[in-house]
Amino acid sequence: MENEKLMLKGVKVVELATFVAAPSCTKLMADWGADVIKVEALFGDAIRGMGGTFNSPMTEDENPMYELENGNKLGIAIDIKDEKGMEVLFKLLENADVFVTNIREQSLAKSGLSYSQLKDKFPKLIHAHILGYGEAGPLKDKPGFDYTAYFARGGVSMSLMEKGTSPANTAAGFGDHYAGMGLAAGILAALYKQAKTGQGERVTLSLYHAALFGMGLMITTSQYGNEMPLSRKVPNNPLMTTYQCGDGRWIQLALIQYNKWFPKFCKVIDREDLINETRFNTITAVVNCTDELVSIVEKEMMKKNLDEWSALLEEADLPFEKLQTVNDILECEQAWANNYLFKTKYSNGNEGILVDTPVRFETMGIKEYMPAPKLGEHSAQILENIGYTADQISELQNSGVIK
């Protein structure tokens, strides 16, 4: 790809972050053409050692969990607790447009890296910060992960469970990725300001707020009696729930315009006798007996397998979708046709599949993928680019300031 086509060509980003949310933000920016330097401690980003929890490789030569969040970046490993290490970080920030971190505010301030400490020193720098719970309130200093701040405190787990059962064991990194995308959007707005005024900005996004934003429709309507969680057997709309098919697989109906689509659906399931049934044929009536209609539809859906129902619903042009597992997605024709998935070869020769970042640009296309950096892989190259001599680099390495 020609560099001129990269949307964020010339934008320099320094990342001091771990795990998923903030690194996924800079991964988006790297995919869009920004020059991202990932700064790690000498022991590395903690996610390098998380693969075992998810039955995934976590060696230096094959580490998919780290790879997913950190491809297309350059990497340097620095001991920023050392004065000379901090000097290196400040030199990187001198040349940067954006600083992205998820370090807690107290620790940032202790290291001299909070926004208030940097804004005068680097007036054009955009200071982008992923938080757990926000900048104020009793939880502002509490550590936050998507399991806790997003799924638990944000009401997601309790809203998405089947009513009367236990909360689901949530999908790791789910909330992190949406927070990362949201922070990237905020950074782009700040870059626009920076281009116009030359001034930096503080950009924050909390996992907790990201959850509230995602749950906005449900939080708003809860004031009026729309209580979560719901049972799939007693939904707000009996044609907006899941049904099991005859082969044991599941289908999601999404007949949002109930009055319009109910007659057509009745024909699909060969129950035209229901079309004039006054208890069921309008949304205002059916809300009083949703469980009855769900019970009827359940029995009908068991008469055919998922593929048969899919063909009939597609022919009727009714909105639905099969419920895919993550293993189904690895073989999903739609995902591969749009390059939402891609294959990569690790340095040990093994091949794996990764998910590409969303958002596409017509003229840019998809940037060629560069594997995530091994720990400290580009330290010397990065230091040389900011003016360090070979002797100075060797001294830093020998004294344990860099890896």
Short mmCIF file of all heavy atoms in Angstrom, two decimals, residues 261-275 304 309 312 316 318:
data_model
loop_
_atom_site.label_atom_id
_atom_site.label_comp_id
_atom_site.label_asym_id
_atom_site.label_seq_id
_atom_site.Cartn_x
_atom_site.Cartn_y
_atom_site.Cartn_z
N TRP A 261 -45.27 -7.44 10.08
CA TRP A 261 -44.67 -8.72 9.68
C TRP A 261 -45.36 -9.94 10.26
O TRP A 261 -45.10 -11.07 9.82
CB TRP A 261 -43.19 -8.73 10.08
CG TRP A 261 -42.34 -7.86 9.20
CD1 TRP A 261 -42.50 -7.61 7.87
CD2 TRP A 261 -41.18 -7.10 9.60
NE1 TRP A 261 -41.53 -6.77 7.40
CE2 TRP A 261 -40.69 -6.43 8.45
CE3 TRP A 261 -40.51 -6.92 10.80
CZ2 TRP A 261 -39.58 -5.61 8.47
CZ3 TRP A 261 -39.39 -6.10 10.84
CH2 TRP A 261 -38.93 -5.46 9.68
N PHE A 262 -46.24 -9.78 11.22
CA PHE A 262 -46.89 -10.93 11.84
C PHE A 262 -47.63 -11.80 10.83
O PHE A 262 -47.47 -13.04 10.82
CB PHE A 262 -47.82 -10.48 12.96
CG PHE A 262 -48.57 -11.60 13.62
CD1 PHE A 262 -47.91 -12.50 14.44
CD2 PHE A 262 -49.94 -11.76 13.43
CE1 PHE A 262 -48.60 -13.55 15.05
CE2 PHE A 262 -50.64 -12.80 14.04
CZ PHE A 262 -49.97 -13.70 14.85
N PRO A 263 -48.46 -11.24 9.93
CA PRO A 263 -49.17 -12.10 8.98
C PRO A 263 -48.22 -12.91 8.08
O PRO A 263 -48.46 -14.10 7.82
CB PRO A 263 -50.00 -11.11 8.15
CG PRO A 263 -50.15 -9.91 9.03
CD PRO A 263 -48.87 -9.82 9.78
N LYS A 264 -47.16 -12.26 7.63
CA LYS A 264 -46.21 -12.96 6.76
C LYS A 264 -45.51 -14.09 7.51
O LYS A 264 -45.31 -15.19 6.97
CB LYS A 264 -45.18 -11.96 6.22
CG LYS A 264 -44.25 -12.55 5.17
CD LYS A 264 -43.18 -11.57 4.71
CE LYS A 264 -43.77 -10.48 3.84
NZ LYS A 264 -42.69 -9.65 3.21
N PHE A 265 -45.19 -13.85 8.76
CA PHE A 265 -44.54 -14.89 9.56
C PHE A 265 -45.48 -16.07 9.78
O PHE A 265 -45.04 -17.24 9.72
CB PHE A 265 -44.08 -14.32 10.91
CG PHE A 265 -43.43 -15.33 11.80
CD1 PHE A 265 -42.13 -15.77 11.55
CD2 PHE A 265 -44.11 -15.87 12.89
CE1 PHE A 265 -41.53 -16.72 12.37
CE2 PHE A 265 -43.51 -16.82 13.70
CZ PHE A 265 -42.22 -17.25 13.44
N CYS A 266 -46.74 -15.78 10.03
CA CYS A 266 -47.71 -16.86 10.22
C CYS A 266 -47.78 -17.77 8.98
O CYS A 266 -47.92 -18.99 9.10
CB CYS A 266 -49.10 -16.29 10.51
SG CYS A 266 -49.23 -15.50 12.13
N LYS A 267 -47.66 -17.18 7.81
CA LYS A 267 -47.66 -17.97 6.58
C LYS A 267 -46.40 -18.82 6.48
O LYS A 267 -46.44 -19.97 6.04
CB LYS A 267 -47.77 -17.05 5.37
CG LYS A 267 -49.11 -16.33 5.27
CD LYS A 267 -49.15 -15.37 4.09
CE LYS A 267 -50.49 -14.63 4.03
NZ LYS A 267 -50.54 -13.64 2.93
N VAL A 268 -45.25 -18.26 6.91
CA VAL A 268 -43.98 -19.01 6.86
C VAL A 268 -44.07 -20.26 7.73
O VAL A 268 -43.62 -21.34 7.33
CB VAL A 268 -42.81 -18.11 7.30
CG1 VAL A 268 -41.55 -18.95 7.54
CG2 VAL A 268 -42.53 -17.04 6.25
N ILE A 269 -44.65 -20.13 8.91
CA ILE A 269 -44.70 -21.29 9.81
C ILE A 269 -45.97 -22.13 9.60
O ILE A 269 -46.26 -23.04 10.38
CB ILE A 269 -44.59 -20.86 11.29
CG1 ILE A 269 -45.79 -20.01 11.72
CG2 ILE A 269 -43.27 -20.15 11.56
CD1 ILE A 269 -45.84 -19.74 13.22
N ASP A 270 -46.71 -21.79 8.53
CA ASP A 270 -47.91 -22.54 8.17
C ASP A 270 -48.97 -22.50 9.28
O ASP A 270 -49.61 -23.50 9.59
CB ASP A 270 -47.55 -24.00 7.84
CG ASP A 270 -48.65 -24.69 7.01
OD1 ASP A 270 -49.44 -23.96 6.36
OD2 ASP A 270 -48.72 -25.92 7.04
N ARG A 271 -49.13 -21.30 9.86
CA ARG A 271 -50.16 -21.10 10.88
C ARG A 271 -50.99 -19.86 10.53
O ARG A 271 -51.13 -18.93 11.32
CB ARG A 271 -49.53 -20.95 12.26
CG ARG A 271 -48.97 -22.24 12.84
CD ARG A 271 -50.06 -23.31 13.06
NE ARG A 271 -51.16 -22.86 13.89
CZ ARG A 271 -51.20 -22.97 15.22
NH1 ARG A 271 -50.20 -23.54 15.87
NH2 ARG A 271 -52.26 -22.53 15.89
N GLU A 272 -51.57 -19.87 9.34
CA GLU A 272 -52.38 -18.74 8.90
C GLU A 272 -53.62 -18.55 9.78
O GLU A 272 -54.23 -17.47 9.78
CB GLU A 272 -52.79 -18.91 7.43
CG GLU A 272 -51.60 -18.84 6.48
CD GLU A 272 -52.02 -18.86 5.01
OE1 GLU A 272 -52.96 -18.12 4.68
OE2 GLU A 272 -51.40 -19.61 4.24
N ASP A 273 -53.97 -19.58 10.55
CA ASP A 273 -55.11 -19.45 11.45
C ASP A 273 -54.89 -18.41 12.54
O ASP A 273 -55.84 -17.91 13.15
CB ASP A 273 -55.41 -20.80 12.10
CG ASP A 273 -54.21 -21.33 12.88
OD1 ASP A 273 -53.15 -21.58 12.25
OD2 ASP A 273 -54.33 -21.48 14.11
N LEU A 274 -53.61 -18.04 12.76
CA LEU A 274 -53.30 -17.08 13.81
C LEU A 274 -53.45 -15.63 13.35
O LEU A 274 -53.51 -14.72 14.18
CB LEU A 274 -51.86 -17.29 14.30
CG LEU A 274 -51.53 -18.63 14.95
CD1 LEU A 274 -50.04 -18.71 15.25
CD2 LEU A 274 -52.36 -18.83 16.22
N ILE A 275 -53.52 -15.42 12.03
CA ILE A 275 -53.49 -14.05 11.50
C ILE A 275 -54.64 -13.21 12.03
O ILE A 275 -54.45 -12.03 12.35
CB ILE A 275 -53.50 -14.08 9.95
CG1 ILE A 275 -52.19 -14.68 9.44
CG2 ILE A 275 -53.71 -12.67 9.39
CD1 ILE A 275 -52.14 -14.86 7.93
N LYS A 304 -38.80 -28.06 11.81
CA LYS A 304 -37.81 -27.99 10.73
C LYS A 304 -36.45 -27.65 11.33
O LYS A 304 -36.35 -27.12 12.45
CB LYS A 304 -38.18 -26.92 9.70
CG LYS A 304 -39.53 -27.14 9.00
CD LYS A 304 -39.78 -26.06 7.95
CE LYS A 304 -41.21 -26.16 7.41
NZ LYS A 304 -41.48 -27.43 6.71
N TRP A 309 -35.53 -23.44 8.02
CA TRP A 309 -36.17 -22.19 8.43
C TRP A 309 -35.47 -20.98 7.82
O TRP A 309 -36.12 -20.00 7.43
CB TRP A 309 -36.18 -22.06 9.96
CG TRP A 309 -37.21 -22.92 10.64
CD1 TRP A 309 -37.00 -23.85 11.62
CD2 TRP A 309 -38.62 -22.90 10.40
NE1 TRP A 309 -38.19 -24.44 12.00
CE2 TRP A 309 -39.21 -23.86 11.26
CE3 TRP A 309 -39.46 -22.19 9.54
CZ2 TRP A 309 -40.57 -24.12 11.30
CZ3 TRP A 309 -40.83 -22.44 9.56
CH2 TRP A 309 -41.37 -23.40 10.44
N LEU A 312 -36.72 -20.44 4.29
CA LEU A 312 -38.10 -19.93 4.25
C LEU A 312 -38.18 -18.46 4.68
O LEU A 312 -38.88 -17.66 4.07
CB LEU A 312 -39.00 -20.78 5.15
CG LEU A 312 -39.28 -22.20 4.65
CD1 LEU A 312 -39.96 -23.03 5.74
CD2 LEU A 312 -40.15 -22.17 3.39
N ALA A 316 -39.13 -15.06 2.46
CA ALA A 316 -40.17 -14.12 2.90
C ALA A 316 -39.61 -12.74 3.21
O ALA A 316 -40.37 -11.81 3.51
CB ALA A 316 -40.88 -14.69 4.12
N LEU A 318 -37.88 -11.74 5.79
CA LEU A 318 -38.10 -11.39 7.19
C LEU A 318 -36.76 -11.36 7.93
O LEU A 318 -35.89 -12.20 7.66
CB LEU A 318 -39.04 -12.40 7.85
CG LEU A 318 -40.48 -12.36 7.37
CD1 LEU A 318 -41.28 -13.52 7.98
CD2 LEU A 318 -41.14 -11.03 7.73
#
